[in-house]
Amino acid sequence: MRHLFISITGIFLIHCQFTKGNPKDSLPPDSMPPHIPVEVIMDKTIGTAPVHRNIIEEYTANMYTKGRINIRKSNLLINYIPSMFKLKKGVREYITESYSELHYTPPGIFDRRIRASLGTIDKTKNFNESILDFFDVNVYSNSVFDVKLISPVSSNAKKYYAYRTDSVHRDENGRYLYYISFMPRLNSYQLIEGYMAVCDSTWIIRELKFSGKSEYLNYTNHLQMGHDSYGQARLLPGRFDSETSFHLLGNVIDGHFTIDMDYKSVGLPGNDTLPQSRKSSYDLTRSFTLRNDTSPYLRSDSNYFAKLRPIPLSEDEKSMYEKYYGEKEKNQESPDTNKYSINGKRGLFWGNVGDFLISSYSVNSPQQKVRFSPLINPFLISYSGGGGFSYRQDIRYQRLFGNNRRFALSPMIGYNFSYKEFYWRVPVELEYLPAKRGSLSLRVGNGNRIYSSDIMNELKQIPDNNIDFDSIHIEYFRNFYIDLTHSIEVLNGLTVDGGISIYRRSAIDKPEIKKTGDSDYTDIIRNIYTGFAPRLKISWTPGQYYYRVENKKINLSSRWPTFSFDYERGIKGVFNSTGKFERLEFDMQQTIPLGFLHNIYYRAGAGKFTDQGQMYFVDFRNFAKNNLPSGWNDDIGGTFQILDRRWYNASREYMRANITYEAPFIIIPHLFKRVPNALNERIYFGILTMSHLNPYMEFGYGIGTHIFDSGLFISNKNGKFHSAGIKLTIELFNR
C-alpha cells in the first residue's frame, strides 16, 4: 500500500485522491485546542507513519471507478500517445465506469478483477484495467504514485517540505483535527503542495489534498480516509477525486476521476489471517486469488450497472450515455456507414492508412493479442555519441491455448543511421508447460557486423596505446544466426536452457579467389563461414518469489542476485560447419533498494573463448553492443556506452563490472534551484579488462525526465583520458 497512481490508457499519468468534505464547525470560543507547534505535529505524524503504513495485514473491498474525459483540443499528434483510445468524430466528452473486487496482501500485492464495466469508450475493459493496474495507495508511504512523488510524511520529508498550521477543527468524536499545509522547498516535479488533516493523539491522517504538475500534466487531488466500520479501515482510502489537465503538442485533455471503496473485510494485527505455510514460502499464490477466478467479465447494460453504482450519475453523464446509445442504434440501422470510400467525404480509407502510420494498434480477443507500434514514431529513436541515431519497430503477437499454453511471435526491425546497417530478428516461442515455465523458442535474425580472428593476430603486434581501428583494414562479415532453445525451470529459481546455435558469416567485400593451374585456395580463403554449436545455459535466482494462475507459474522478484553460466561448443564438420571453438561466460546482476527512491544496480561477469581452430569469430552473448534504442531501465546501467563497438570482438576473453547509483536530488538541486524536470539522477561506473585494455573505465552522469533520458559519459583507457560522449532516449509515456 504505497501509492495511488492512475494511468488513463497510457495517455497521461493521473494522480487521484479524495475530495475534502465540509470541515467540522470551528471550535467554540471557550473550547480552545491545545497549542502544539507544527514541528511537533509533523514529528509525530512522520514518526508514526511506518506503524500506520504496515498495520493493515490484509483486506478485501469492492471498488467503483468512474472517469470523465473532455477532449478540448486535438490534432493528429494525439495518435502518438501510446494506448490512446479511438476518438469518435465530433465527440468531445467520454465517460467510463467499472465495478471491481480488490484483495490486498503483503508484501504490497494488489490483486484485482473487474466484474462489470460501462462506458462510451470502445474497449472499456482495457481502459479500466489500465486504471486498476496502478492502484496502490497508502498515504503513510515514503512515496506517492509508484515512487514518482516524494510524500510529505516520508522519513526525510523535512528536507523537501516546509509546514504550517492553518486551522484546528473537531471531528464527530470530539478529536482535534489540525489542518497542516505543506509547501515544497525546491521547484521540482517530484514535490507536491497541499494540506493534510491530522488527528491529535493518534496522529492519523484523515484527509489529504495536494496539487502538482509535470511537463504535460497539471493535477489537483483530494483524499478522505475510510470510516471506522472495520476499526483500522480509517487508515485506508475511502473515496478519491482527481481533476487533471493534460497539455502536449497542441492537444488539451481534461479529466475528472472518482474511486469509491467499500471494504468487506480488514485484517488487523493479532488476527493470524495468513497460513503458516504462506509466511515461510516464496509461493504468493494466495495473494492472487482473484486472478485465478475464471468467472466471466461483464460488459453491462445501464440497468444492471445502476444496481452497482454507489454514486448517482449527473444529468450531463446521463446525457452522454443517451447520446452514445442513440448513435449506436442509428449505426445499426444504417449498415453502409462503415464502408470504405477513397473519394467520399469521409475519406475512411486514407484515414485508416494515416492511423496505421502514426498510431499504435492493438487487436485483442480472448485467445489472441496483436500489437504493433506506428511506423512513424519519434519515441522509438535514440542517439548516442558513439552509435549516432537509430530507430526500432516492434510487433507482438500472442495466442493462448488450453491449460495456459502460449504461442508468441515478436518480430523486430531497426536501422542505425551512422553505421548504415539494418537489423532484424524474429523470436518465436511456444510455452508448452507453463507450470514449469517450459518452452521451446526459435530466434532468427542478424547481429552486428563482425570481423574474424585474423584481425586479433594483427592486433597482438600493436602496443596497447597505439591501436587505432581506423588505420587497420578490417574485413567485415554479415552475421546471420538461428537459435533453437528449450528452457525449463527444474527448481524454483533454477532454469536450464539447452539448444543449438547455427551461424553464417558472409564477407561484405568478397575477395576474388582464382585458381592457378592445379592450385585451389577455396579451402584457405572463404567468403562464407558457418558454425554449428550446441549450447547450455544455467540461471539461478535464490529466493525467487512467484505465484500461480491455474497451472501457470509467474515469477516476481527476489532479494538475491541472478547468477548465470553459459557454455557453447562449436563443432567443425557438422552440416559443413567451418568453426571450432568453446565459449564460456559467467554473469551476475541485481537491483538493491537502499531506501526511499535510492537504488543500486550492478552487473559483473567474465567470458572466454578457448579451443579455437583456425578461423573463428569472437561473439560473446553477455558482452555485446546494442546499436538500437534502449530505454532508461534497459541496458544503460549495465553496458559501456561510448566504447567503440569494434572492441567487443577484439579479445578472446574479458572481465567487466558495472554499477549504477540512482536517487533524486544528487547534484542538480545543489547547483540550480529551479530545475523541476529531473525525476531521477544516476551516477555510472564501469570497468573492463581485456587484451589491450588494462583497464578501460567509463564514468557517467544521467538525468531522467518525463520526456527523455540523457547521460554524459567519459572514458579512461589504460590510465589516460580516452573519449567523451552522450546517450539520449525518448521516454515520453514510458514511465
Side-chain angles (χ1 to χ4, degrees):
M1 298 188 297
R2 295 183 304 273
H3 59 273
L4 172 71
F5 171 60
I6 292 182
S7 169
I8 303 305
T9 64
I11 308 174
F12 49 94
L13 307 179
I14 298 194
H15 315 292
C16 297
Q17 302 286 347
F18 266 128
T19 301
K20 177 184 176 183
N22 294 326
K24 299 299 177 182
D25 295 336
S26 298
L27 294 170
D30 59 347
S31 179
M32 298 301 295
H35 174 71
I36 304 178
V38 67
E39 293 81 7
V40 175
I41 296 175
M42 291 313 304
D43 285 342
K44 296 289 187 180
T45 305
I46 294 173
T48 57
V51 177
H52 296 149
R53 182 189 314 150
N54 301 313
I55 199 170
I56 303 297
E57 295 186 353
E58 182 177 10
Y59 69 76
T60 60
N62 292 329
M63 180 167 64
Y64 166 77
T65 304
K66 178 172 66 176
R68 289 185 57 178
I69 297 176
N70 179 19
I71 312 295
R72 290 171 50 195
K73 293 182 181 180
S74 64
N75 53 49
L76 285 177
L77 296 177
I78 200 172
N79 295 286
Y80 280 116
I81 301 173
S83 303
M84 178 67 183
F85 62 85
K86 187 71 174 179
L87 300 180
K88 300 180 178 66
K89 185 176 181 180
V91 179
R92 292 288 182 178
E93 290 189 298
Y94 300 85
I95 185 173
T96 180
E97 300 177 274
S98 70
Y99 192 81
S100 311
E101 292 183 10
L102 184 67
H103 178 212
Y104 167 81
T105 53
I109 298 173
F110 284 85
D111 184 26
R112 79 282 291 185
R113 182 174 178 83
I114 298 178
R115 293 303 184 187
S117 73
L118 189 68
T120 63
I121 299 173
D122 293 335
K123 300 180 180 179
T124 305
K125 180 176 184 289
N126 295 334
F127 181 94
N128 288 298
E129 282 182 341
S130 66
I131 295 177
L132 299 182
D133 283 343
F134 295 96
F135 179 80
D136 181 0
V137 60
N138 189 333
V139 298
Y140 303 100
S141 176
N142 281 324
S143 61
V144 185
F145 310 147
D146 196 18
V147 302
K148 296 298 187 298
L149 306 175
I150 298 176
S151 169
V153 295
S154 65
S155 57
N156 58 350
K158 288 189 173 182
K159 291 173 54 179
Y160 307 115
Y161 292 101
Y163 304 91
R164 181 185 66 236
T165 302
D166 290 337
S167 61
V168 184
H169 303 280
R170 282 188 184 273
D171 65 8
E172 62 278 5
N173 297 316
R175 299 188 184 98
Y176 293 114
L177 291 180
Y178 292 86
Y179 283 80
I180 308 296
S181 293
F182 51 88
M183 297 75 68
R185 297 182 184 273
L186 301 171
N187 185 21
S188 170
Y189 290 150
Q190 288 187 274
L191 301 177
I192 53 181
E193 181 177 5
Y195 73 84
M196 68 184 80
V198 179
C199 183
D200 73 334
S201 70
T202 61
W203 313 112
I204 289 175
I205 298 174
R206 300 296 302 276
E207 188 175 352
L208 177 68
K209 176 183 178 180
F210 65 91
S211 299
K213 63 181 180 179
S214 68
E215 288 93 342
Y216 50 83
L217 177 69
N218 296 327
Y219 53 89
T220 299
N221 308 303
H222 301 154
L223 177 148
Q224 184 178 354
M225 305 307 288
H227 53 75
D228 289 336
S229 298
Y230 289 98
Q232 301 301 334
R234 65 183 182 274
L235 297 172
L236 299 171
R239 172 172 165 157
F240 309 82
D241 284 286
S242 177
E243 297 285 348
T244 64
S245 183
F246 171 79
H247 300 255
L248 182 67
L249 301 174
N251 297 283
V252 181
I253 305 173
D254 292 340
H256 177 82
F257 302 90
T258 299
I259 293 179
D260 185 87
M261 302 292 295
D262 180 16
Y263 293 95
K264 298 303 179 182
S265 64
V266 178
L268 303 176
N271 296 338
D272 192 7
T273 58
L274 301 179
Q276 185 64 30
S277 60
R278 159 67 176 80
K279 293 182 178 180
S280 60
S281 172
Y282 297 110
D283 186 352
L284 304 180
T285 301
R286 182 182 175 277
S287 298
F288 294 91
T289 54
L290 294 177
R291 301 191 190 188
N292 285 282
D293 193 340
T294 58
S295 56
Y297 161 81
L298 299 176
R299 173 68 187 240
S300 312
D301 58 39
S302 57
N303 292 329
Y304 175 79
F305 208 91
K307 301 176 182 178
L308 304 175
R309 186 183 294 119
I311 304 172
L313 294 176
S314 67
E315 293 301 321
D316 288 343
E317 293 166 346
K318 293 178 182 178
S319 176
M320 280 189 278
Y321 275 120
E322 291 172 358
K323 185 177 180 179
Y324 172 75
Y325 286 112
E327 289 293 328
K328 290 192 69 173
E329 293 177 1
K330 181 179 178 181
N331 291 336
Q332 290 174 357
E333 294 172 0
S334 304
D336 292 336
T337 56
N338 289 324
K339 287 187 176 180
Y340 290 105
S341 171
I342 296 179
N343 299 315
K345 294 181 180 180
R346 294 182 301 274
L348 292 178
F349 174 79
W350 293 112
N352 279 271
V353 170
D355 288 345
F356 176 78
L357 292 176
I358 64 176
S359 300
S360 296
Y361 262 67
S362 297
V363 180
N364 299 328
S365 71
Q367 287 77 36
Q368 300 185 78
K369 295 181 180 180
V370 182
R371 187 183 188 280
F372 56 87
S373 51
L375 293 180
I376 304 174
N377 191 345
F379 308 131
L380 294 177
I381 296 176
S382 71
Y383 174 81
S384 65
F389 286 97
S390 57
Y391 172 84
R392 189 190 78 243
Q393 173 77 17
D394 297 291
I395 301 175
R396 297 181 181 180
Y397 170 79
Q398 178 175 280
R399 181 176 178 84
L400 301 177
F401 301 95
N403 296 322
N404 273 320
R405 292 173 298 167
R406 179 180 62 91
F407 172 81
L409 175 66
S410 307
M412 183 280 298
I413 59 174
Y415 186 77
N416 186 283
F417 294 89
S418 294
Y419 302 138
K420 298 180 181 179
E421 293 177 9
F422 174 78
Y423 304 94
W424 64 276
R425 66 171 178 260
V426 181
V428 181
E429 181 182 14
L430 174 63
E431 188 176 18
Y432 71 94
L433 188 62
K436 301 291 291 183
R437 299 173 59 85
S439 65
L440 285 169
S441 63
L442 176 68
R443 291 171 57 91
V444 181
N446 69 332
N448 299 331
R449 292 181 180 179
I450 194 172
Y451 56 83
S452 71
S453 57
D454 286 346
I455 299 299
M456 291 170 32
N457 295 326
E458 183 178 345
L459 294 176
K460 287 182 179 179
Q461 312 303 320
I462 305 175
D464 289 349
N465 289 321
N466 294 332
I467 291 181
D468 181 5
F469 283 104
D470 294 328
S471 65
I472 303 173
H473 174 71
I474 298 179
E475 182 182 354
Y476 284 100
F477 290 78
R478 296 182 181 89
N479 191 4
F480 173 79
Y481 65 87
I482 300 175
D483 283 341
L484 179 63
T485 305
H486 176 264
S487 178
I488 192 164
E489 190 176 44
V490 294
L491 297 171
N492 180 42
L494 180 63
T495 301
V496 177
D497 297 350
I500 296 173
S501 297
I502 298 174
Y503 306 96
R504 184 180 187 272
R505 276 79 182 230
S506 58
I508 296 176
D509 299 321
K510 299 180 181 179
E512 184 178 353
I513 303 174
K514 297 181 180 180
K515 292 184 178 181
T516 304
D518 295 333
S519 300
D520 186 354
Y521 299 100
T522 55
D523 288 338
I524 301 175
I525 304 176
R526 294 175 178 269
N527 294 327
I528 297 175
Y529 294 86
T530 59
F532 176 88
R535 181 187 177 208
L536 176 67
K537 180 180 180 181
I538 300 175
S539 300
W540 180 42
T541 305
Q544 178 71 68
Y545 286 96
Y546 67 93
Y547 72 95
R548 297 184 183 276
V549 177
E550 296 179 347
N551 67 330
K552 181 179 178 65
K553 184 175 185 283
I554 300 175
N555 286 344
L556 298 170
S557 60
S558 173
R559 298 186 180 95
W560 297 90
T562 296
F563 305 91
S564 68
F565 174 77
D566 199 332
Y567 174 79
E568 188 176 28
R569 170 82 178 190
I571 304 176
K572 186 176 181 179
V574 179
F575 298 128
N576 296 319
S577 64
T578 59
K580 177 187 177 184
F581 63 88
E582 282 186 337
R583 178 181 61 83
L584 302 94
E585 285 190 86
F586 170 80
D587 189 74
M588 176 178 65
Q589 53 185 300
Q590 185 185 14
T591 299
I592 304 176
L594 297 180
F596 174 55
L597 295 180
H598 292 66
N599 299 282
I600 281 183
Y601 308 88
Y602 73 84
R603 183 176 185 181
K608 185 178 180 65
F609 270 79
T610 65
D611 196 21
Q612 306 93 351
Q614 297 181 355
M615 176 82 77
Y616 66 98
F617 296 82
V618 173
D619 193 3
F620 289 107
R621 295 280 182 133
N622 297 329
F623 179 60
K625 181 68 172 179
N626 182 7
N627 293 312
L628 294 179
S630 57
W632 179 263
N633 288 319
D634 289 341
D635 67 356
I636 194 170
T639 189
F640 299 92
Q641 294 298 323
I642 57 177
L643 178 66
D644 191 308
R645 67 173 185 165
R646 291 170 288 193
W647 281 109
Y648 289 85
N649 313 115
S651 176
R652 297 179 178 86
E653 57 190 17
Y654 75 88
M655 293 182 63
R656 54 85 65 90
N658 299 83
I659 186 168
T660 303
Y661 173 67
E662 179 183 43
F665 311 116
I666 299 177
I667 297 176
I668 285 184
H670 303 290
L671 300 178
F672 309 99
K673 294 298 182 182
R674 300 185 62 83
V675 184
N677 305 65
L679 294 178
N680 271 4
E681 299 174 74
R682 284 184 172 180
I683 296 176
Y684 307 94
F685 173 71
I687 184 169
L688 168 69
T689 62
M690 55 186 290
S691 178
H692 299 288
L693 296 179
N694 294 296
Y696 172 85
M697 294 185 290
E698 269 190 13
F699 304 86
Y701 167 76
I703 301 174
T705 73
H706 287 285
I707 297 179
F708 66 88
D709 292 326
S710 61
L712 173 64
F713 298 87
I714 60 173
S715 65
N716 181 290
K717 175 186 171 185
N718 299 332
K720 297 181 179 180
F721 171 80
H722 182 248
S723 62
I726 64 173
K727 171 81 172 184
L728 176 68
T729 60
I730 305 298
E731 293 290 324
L732 187 62
F733 309 117
N734 289 334
R735 296 204 176 281

